[in-house]
Amino acid sequence: MYSILDDAAQRARAYLSNVGSRPVSPRQEAIAALADLDTSLPITPTEPRKTLEILDRFVSPATMAMAGPRFFGFVIGGSLPTALAANWLAGAWDQNATLYEPTPGVAALEQVALRWMVDLFDLPSGTGGAFVTGATVANFTALAAARNGVLAKAGWNVEADGLFGAPPITVIAGEEAHPTVLKSLGMLGLGRGRITRVPVDSQGRMNPKALSAIKGPTIVLLQAGNVNTGSFDPFADIVDRARDAGAWVHVDGAFGLWAKAAPALRHLTEGLERADSWATDAHKWLNVPYDCGLAFVREPQTLQRAMGITAEYLPTETAHRNPSDFTPELSRRARGVEVWAALHSLGREGLAELFERNCRQARRFAEGLRAAGHEVLNDVVLNQVLVSFGDPQHTRDVIARIQEDGTCWCGGTVWQGRTAMRISVSSWATSDSDVERSLDAMIRVAAE
Ligand SMILES: Cc1ncc(COP(=O)(O)O)c(C=O)c1O
């Protein structure tokens, strides 16, 4: 009955063995063939192998090679083989990782992985956390704790009484806060449009001098790793000042928080550890399978007040940590398994090597493109490179041709009015020769 799993493993191995030699973007023929999947629902059961064969035949060629070594779009890591294997095992366990008592194995694993990361990121001891789907929901989760915390200090129980009649909360964010943070604010009833925006510099870093005086319930949103430039807000100049004035400081570190784990990058994060909450992704730079993000909160009881529930039918009473006391979801998959496996298999040295290697590779892209006469728009402090190939239309054309060429894949953006190509080096699988091969392709295509 379970031999279908061997079939899946074989197909997955064949896919991954080939993913570095095929064009990175799916070819038009593969996309056109997807139409054949648009059938009516079968009346009778299909043989399992046949179902898998159809998936592999139609969908594998129509995938973007995000798992491969030369995908540099968005901020997308691959999956470390150990993390993927752990994810398969967790799939077989099929645990509903909600409460400790019914699922002690995965609940314990989550707790260990959280403790390791609190340590790795140098966060205050006692910091609690939650495994969620990604940085968007991690920001949402941490900001729910922030909302609870600042209103509790003002004598208001937002979980019980909602926001109608509550003391107003001032939200302060840089002009370059990621749009998903604004979405989280909207979902929390704090509004996407009533934020006090602080001007930023040419790299997207908040200008600390432009931060207004803080009065009353206030949340300050900072960023570790701008999605375009990779820059970090000047935490040391802001965090203590804001906290001393009574504000809750939250850091969106979707990928930048991992810089804490690399000695050569840690200086970028100085002061970030003194904030109240942090969001990051594991599916980006830690290279675990989708979907996996993390929220950390210095005072976990604020998060528990925002997220915890009890019900007669649920065994919530325990001396242990119930994951769902800290997450928006009740039923959920055990995301901690692959995070634990990635951290365990790489260790501190492997993690530092991964992040420092990707940053060195980003600098090599910048150097190679500059040497070929192209303009690099950002200071390459992390793993992000912005390059202009000339006027906006020409840059967009070059990006389209690079995508079509298939050697590598990069997306476009507009950074402070300049159209640019984004190169995000985030994968464990990217070797130095992948970088050279991709650079050659970019320079060749741009010259055509
Ligand atoms: C700084 C920042 N915050 C939040 C997000 C959203 O992350 P996710 O897509 O995992 O929800 C991103 C995505 O790139 C990001 O770069």
Side-chain angles (χ1 to χ4, degrees), residues 234-423:
F235 306 110
D237 297 334
I238 299 174
V239 175
D240 297 332
R241 202 172 122 203
R243 291 192 83 236
D244 289 349
W248 178 295
V249 179
H250 171 73
V251 179
D252 174 12
F255 55 100
L257 194 57
W258 295 96
K260 269 273 182 226
L265 306 171
R266 202 170 289 148
H267 63 281
L268 296 165
T269 66
E270 217 261 288
L272 156 169
E273 66 284 352
R274 296 195 291 277
D276 295 279
S277 59
W278 305 262
T280 194
D281 263 318
H283 59 218
K284 289 188 167 69
W285 223 354
L286 185 60
N287 279 258
V288 304
Y290 285 93
D291 46 23
C292 192
L294 291 143
F296 295 96
V297 178
R298 178 195 277 258
E299 289 177 5
Q301 57 279 20
T302 52
L303 182 54
Q304 189 165 3
R305 283 203 298 266
M307 297 293 164
I309 57 162
T310 55
E312 288 307 326
Y313 83 103
L314 293 173
T316 51
E317 276 302 316
T318 173
H320 300 280
R321 172 185 179 277
N322 281 324
S324 63
D325 275 350
F326 302 94
T327 53
E329 308 90 352
L330 183 60
S331 293
R332 50 190 284 281
R333 73 182 190 90
R335 294 188 179 83
V337 178
E338 63 257 24
V339 170
W340 179 89
L343 295 171
H344 186 264
S345 67
L346 289 177
R348 279 183 183 269
E349 286 181 6
L351 289 163
E353 188 280 328
L354 167 62
F355 306 136
E356 288 173 7
R357 166 168 40 109
N358 283 169
C359 293
R360 176 172 51 72
Q361 291 169 331
R363 291 195 298 276
R364 170 65 193 132
F365 269 121
E367 174 195 84
L369 287 161
R370 266 198 211 103
H374 304 299
E375 187 186 1
V376 174
L377 303 183
N378 64 318
D379 297 342
V380 182
V381 294
L382 202 69
N383 58 342
Q384 310 291 314
V385 185
L386 295 177
V387 57
S388 160
F389 294 103
D391 68 54
Q393 192 51 50
H394 183 62
T395 298
R396 282 193 291 272
D397 288 347
V398 172
I399 297 169
R401 292 206 307 269
I402 287 172
Q403 293 177 355
E404 175 54 29
D405 171 73
T407 306
C408 61
W409 199 98
C410 298
T413 191
V414 177
W415 174 247
Q416 298 188 342
R418 303 282 312 273
T419 299
M421 183 173 86
R422 296 182 60 251
I423 306 172

Side-chain angles (χ1 to χ4, degrees), residues 74-75 133-139 176-181 223-228 252-256 280-281 283-284 290 292-293 422:
F74 315 105
V75 187
T133 50
T136 303
V137 178
N139 280 318
E176 276 295 332
H178 195 271
T180 59
V181 177
Q223 182 166 252
N226 176 284
V227 72
N228 283 305
D252 174 12
F255 55 100
T280 194
D281 263 318
H283 59 218
K284 289 188 167 69
Y290 285 93
C292 192
R422 296 182 60 251

